[in-house]
Amino acid sequence: MLRLAIQSKGRLNEESTALLREIGIDIDDNRRKFLSQAPNFPLEVLYLRDDDIPQVVAAGTAGLGIVGLNEVEEQGLDVQVVSKLGFGACRLSLAVPRSADYDGPQWFAGKRIATSYPRILRAWLEEKGVQARIEVIKGSVEIAPAADIADAIFDIVSSGGTLVSNGLREVEQVFWSEAVLISSGKLDAEQQALLDELLFRISSAQISRRKKYILMNLPQSAVEEATRILPAMRSPTVMPLAAEGWCSMHSVVEEADLWDKIRQLKAIGAEGILVLNIDKIIP
Ligand code: ATP
Ligand code: MG
């Protein structure tokens, strides 16, 4: 049995539970529950505040956790990041009032900076050789300059909208974060095997998320060229059509390249092109 700590409510909750479902693990959505056992995988899910997740994993109370890399870095506890999960992207940035004449890191010398991330901020200030005062605030850091509690803030930014609506300007991007799977590093052999199975399923889901299945009718004479345009896992599948001189070609393409490939395929005579979503890819 493996225990996984996830955020009980907040920005990472929904995508953490969606990821588990995507890899075939049913979990109870009853948020009042503190601990629930998946009926179809030897996994127990522990619902916590995100701040508590690194600690619970470091202590081994949960073997695994899903949490923002920002929390892992800030707390500096003994946990291992085993996989990036591709959601919850954000950054930790310094922001100053819009009217400030910011001219580089030395601007912060002697200033007060409000943050919930003192450790990451201190490391950055040290690296830049800047002496500033760190005011630790939990929550609503962005109002600190207007309330004259601080001259600047160091906080999470994703779109930047919150900064703008508080009259602030992002001046230094310091740390990039996304949701990660962390481990205590103290798993027994059975738990390690379960973690390997989870990682295998997560990577299959991640690979398929960026790919599309494409099929089309193609003149037989264009097959060789189409194979160059569409390198598949081994090579594209080619099947004869009833119509003389035509075949059907199937392959998998990166979503980012999709429109470029379609343009090239049309140019060599492809017709009836279908693009489908892929549920899983097992390489
Ligand atoms: P909890 O009640 O669990 O302590 P919280 O209020 O501390 O929750 P949330 O705001 O739910 O935390 O954010 C959780 C994580 O989501 C952050 O630590 C960060 O990794 C990630 N995140 C992604 N985008 C944003 C954003 N725009 N603002 C805040 N967090 C974000
Ligand atoms: Mg929190």
Side-chain angles (χ1 to χ4, degrees):
M1 177 72 67
L2 197 50
R3 189 179 283 169
L4 168 72
I6 67 170
Q7 195 188 24
S8 56
K9 56 182 186 334
R11 289 174 193 267
L12 300 181
N13 167 268
E14 216 164 281
E15 287 184 275
S16 303
T17 53
L19 174 67
L20 291 174
R21 247 179 244 118
E22 195 182 351
I23 61 172
I25 297 174
D26 294 335
I27 52 157
D28 194 337
D29 235 354
N30 184 349
R31 291 193 186 155
R32 271 166 304 184
K33 266 201 184 160
F34 175 62
L35 191 65
S36 74
Q37 149 92 61
N40 60 350
F41 196 88
L43 186 80
E44 259 179 351
V45 179
L46 178 62
Y47 297 88
L48 296 176
R49 289 200 52 179
D50 71 339
D51 320 49
D52 296 334
I53 294 175
Q55 212 176 323
V56 157
V57 172
T61 311
L64 301 175
I66 295 178
V67 67
L69 188 60
N70 52 318
E71 283 298 330
V72 178
E73 179 74 9
E74 178 60 28
Q75 300 196 20
L77 296 169
D78 184 20
V79 297
Q80 298 170 3
V81 174
V82 286
S83 178
K84 293 187 172 182
L85 298 175
F87 60 87
C90 59
R91 57 191 183 268
L92 286 169
S93 292
L94 281 151
V96 301
R98 206 166 25 218
S99 56
D101 53 346
Y102 184 78
D103 55 358
Q106 282 303 328
W107 184 91
F108 293 104
K111 300 265 190 347
R112 300 162 301 165
I113 310 172
T115 188
S116 310
Y117 296 90
R119 211 181 121 98
I120 298 174
L121 175 58
R122 198 169 300 121
W124 186 84
L125 290 170
E126 261 166 37
E127 184 198 312
K128 300 289 171 191
V130 175
Q131 301 240 344
R133 224 166 78 203
I134 300 176
E135 306 285 349
V136 179
I137 300 185
K138 296 277 168 205
S140 302
V141 168
E142 65 281 357
I143 61 158
D148 198 28
I149 297 166
D151 305 301
I153 68 165
F154 177 62
D155 202 10
I156 293 181
V157 179
S158 51
S159 69
T162 311
L163 293 181
V164 171
S165 61
N166 284 283
L168 299 169
R169 180 161 63 98
E170 182 177 10
V171 291
E172 298 286 348
Q173 302 185 339
V174 172
F175 185 83
W176 276 260
S177 178
E178 67 180 273
V180 291
L181 181 67
I182 57 171
S183 157
S184 63
K186 298 173 197 131
L187 306 183
D188 63 28
E190 186 204 332
Q191 291 171 328
Q192 186 60 47
L194 293 172
L195 170 58
D196 290 344
E197 173 67 20
L198 288 180
L199 288 172
F200 166 66
R201 294 190 189 187
I202 289 170
S203 72
S204 306
Q206 282 174 336
I207 296 168
S208 61
R209 242 182 258 147
R210 296 188 307 270
K211 292 194 158 59
K212 297 284 176 189
Y213 193 81
I214 185 167
L215 54 151
M216 73 215 74
N217 294 334
L218 202 65
Q220 197 70 49
S221 57
V223 165
E224 207 174 305
E225 205 161 341
T227 309
R228 268 200 301 276
I229 299 171
L230 289 178
M233 277 188 262
R234 264 182 220 286
S235 74
T237 307
V238 181
M239 284 178 285
L241 287 183
E244 186 73 32
W246 282 80
C247 64
S248 166
M249 180 179 269
H250 297 212
S251 191
V252 172
V253 294
E254 290 282 340
E255 192 167 12
D257 301 337
L258 183 64
W259 292 103
D260 186 45
K261 301 283 184 198
I262 288 176
R263 185 182 50 74
Q264 295 181 51
L265 291 164
K266 282 176 64 167
I268 60 166
E271 290 179 1
I273 301 173
L274 291 183
V275 178
L276 309 175
N277 288 328
I278 298 173
D279 198 33
K280 300 283 183 299
I281 292 181
I282 317 299

